[in-house]
Amino acid sequence: MRRPLRAWILVGASLLAAGAGPAYAADTPSAGSTAGTGTAAASVRYTVQDLGTLGGTRSKANAIEGSTVVGSSWTSGDAAEHAFAYDLRGRSMTDLGTLGGSSEATDTEGDHVVGQSDLSAGGPTHGFTYDLRTRRLVDIGTLGGSSSHVTGLSGDTVVGTSSLPGDAVTHAFAYSLRTRTMTDLGTLAGPSGSSTAAAVSGVTVVGSSSLPDSPASVTHGFAYSLRTGKMTDLGTLGGNSSTANAVSGSTVVGRSRTAGNGLAGYAYDLRTGLRTDLGSRFLTGQLVSGSTVVGGDGLLASSFDLTTHTSAVIGSGRGVTEVKQISGNLMVGDNFAPNSFAFVARADDGAFTYLPSLGGLNSYAAQVNGRGVVAGSAALAAPDPGTANGPFHAAVWVPHPVA
């Protein structure tokens, strides 16, 4: 897992002066700026806080819950990448260690942090859990193969994907933080098939699985109930394949082939079996919170209200917009045009707010907590006038009501 933190975007000052990209690329968006035709004025402004590093030059935040932010940072001398947990109340960053190689924390809930770590430099990767109370890092192991990867956390359940003995196929798994046991969720094609877990909400795990007597590339989205131990095939919009990418309550969202072999996003209600075709504006990054679905078409991001069946473009409609998380009415993500600017948007009134950097030009948003605090990363001031950004540090953006 020894890899770059993220493909940081470095833009030359001469490029900006030449007017490359849309007009706002040359004007760093202010903390309270809004964009988009018909969008409401921002009701909050944001201040940015640098979370620092574990001694190295760079860090990034991947998730936030309550007062805990998690991610990864380079250590002193940029010798290694380690997972961290940052306490916003105590303003302290804790090195969570590794399983032998590099590590990265990807999610947190309550006293628990999850992520993955290499077992050695260049070696296989295992999922891990870390208890913030006991300060203990636990290797969650595998389903018999060499590697496992964590993709979700809900309550005391960690979900992800693991290789089986021989590493020929992978299966979705659920790991119990309470019993420290890993359960193989199986596949729609039986033991020899492959499956991957994408997300978990309560007792429902969603992902994608191969099918009986079909090529491995043909998959259907599934929902697995941890209560009943049953995997449900979510079917398609008439084509031969689908995926399931996120779940909120009884609503699953993903992408499917249509009867005409096109692609469209969909929402599936596990209670009623009702499937909603979201169309071609929801092909990528499908997410859901309550009755609101978000996704993109590779360029623009949109929201869809499953109650009213109305949709709206998120933001200005300029550049590439990606939503990284939706929680309640709040959406966070990035707008590339060609630079990356983190933003917060509201699903209820369309407000769209760019978030400031730490002195450089660019920023990235990852998640938002229940108090509206956003976690991500932002650029420090450029070390010389020929570049737009200094190193990126993990950051949080704190909302303040506008008087």
Side-chain angles (χ1 to χ4, degrees):
M1 199 183 71
R2 187 67 177 263
R3 54 180 173 73
L5 286 174
R6 187 167 181 170
W8 309 121
I9 298 177
L10 299 177
V11 184
S14 60
L15 182 64
L16 296 178
Y24 66 82
D27 277 330
T28 304
S30 65
S33 63
T34 60
T37 303
T39 57
S43 58
V44 296
R45 298 183 73 88
Y46 291 82
T47 56
V48 62
Q49 177 184 338
D50 185 348
L51 302 189
T53 75
L54 292 171
T57 59
R58 294 171 291 164
S59 61
K60 67 173 181 177
N62 293 324
I64 181 172
E65 201 256 349
S67 62
T68 302
V69 182
V70 301
S72 62
S73 169
W74 289 89
T75 58
S76 296
D78 289 346
E81 182 186 8
H82 282 198
F84 73 77
Y86 187 97
D87 183 350
L88 291 173
R89 290 171 299 191
R91 298 197 173 188
S92 60
M93 180 179 285
T94 299
D95 187 336
L96 304 188
T98 79
L99 298 174
S102 59
S103 62
E104 179 178 16
T106 58
D107 208 352
T108 181
E109 186 172 323
D111 292 318
H112 295 283
V113 180
V114 298
Q116 38 268 333
S117 171
D118 296 336
L119 301 188
S120 60
T125 299
H126 282 196
F128 72 76
T129 67
Y130 184 94
D131 191 314
L132 294 169
R133 290 171 302 137
T134 64
R135 297 176 179 260
R136 182 178 181 187
L137 183 73
V138 175
D139 183 344
I140 68 172
T142 74
L143 293 171
S146 64
S147 63
S148 60
H149 182 79
V150 170
T151 54
L153 170 65
S154 180
D156 70 349
T157 301
V158 182
V159 301
T161 303
S162 170
S163 58
L164 270 59
D167 291 341
V169 298
T170 63
H171 281 192
F173 70 79
Y175 178 90
S176 171
L177 293 169
R178 180 175 48 83
T179 64
R180 293 185 182 174
T181 56
M182 180 180 286
T183 300
D184 186 339
L185 304 189
T187 80
L188 296 170
S192 62
S194 291
S195 62
T196 59
V200 57
S201 176
V203 298
T204 304
V205 183
V206 299
S208 305
S209 170
S210 60
L211 304 172
D213 305 317
S214 296
S217 59
V218 177
T219 66
H220 277 194
F222 72 79
Y224 184 98
S225 171
L226 296 170
R227 182 179 293 116
T228 66
K230 179 183 177 182
M231 179 178 284
T232 300
D233 186 340
L234 301 183
T236 74
L237 291 169
N240 67 347
S241 64
S242 64
T243 63
N245 298 330
V247 58
S248 175
S250 64
T251 303
V252 183
V253 294
R255 184 174 74 170
S256 174
R257 286 284 177 185
T258 64
N261 202 35
L263 284 170
Y266 75 88
Y268 185 95
D269 190 324
L270 293 169
R271 296 168 303 178
T272 64
L274 178 65
R275 185 181 293 105
T276 301
D277 185 339
L278 302 177
S280 59
R281 289 168 59 183
F282 295 84
L283 299 182
T284 63
Q286 301 89 6
L287 299 169
V288 59
S289 178
S291 63
T292 304
V293 181
V294 297
D297 60 6
L299 183 63
L300 301 180
S302 299
S303 63
F304 187 95
D305 189 316
L306 292 169
T307 302
T308 63
H309 282 215
T310 56
S311 64
V313 172
I314 298 167
S316 67
R318 295 179 294 178
V320 177
T321 305
E322 297 179 353
V323 175
K324 299 299 181 63
Q325 187 208 22
I326 177 170
S327 178
N329 279 317
L330 287 180
M331 302 172 284
V332 298
D334 306 323
N335 183 213
F336 304 89
N339 306 290
S340 174
F341 301 122
F343 69 80
V344 176
R346 292 191 64 90
D348 52 356
D349 61 14
F352 187 89
T353 305
Y354 285 112
L355 300 173
S357 70
L358 290 166
L361 179 65
N362 300 140
S363 55
Y364 300 90
Q367 278 195 5
V368 59
N369 70 7
R371 299 193 303 273
V373 179
V374 182
S377 55
L380 303 183
D384 61 72
T387 58
N389 296 314
F392 283 73
H393 280 194
V396 293
W397 291 270
V398 180
H400 305 281
V402 174

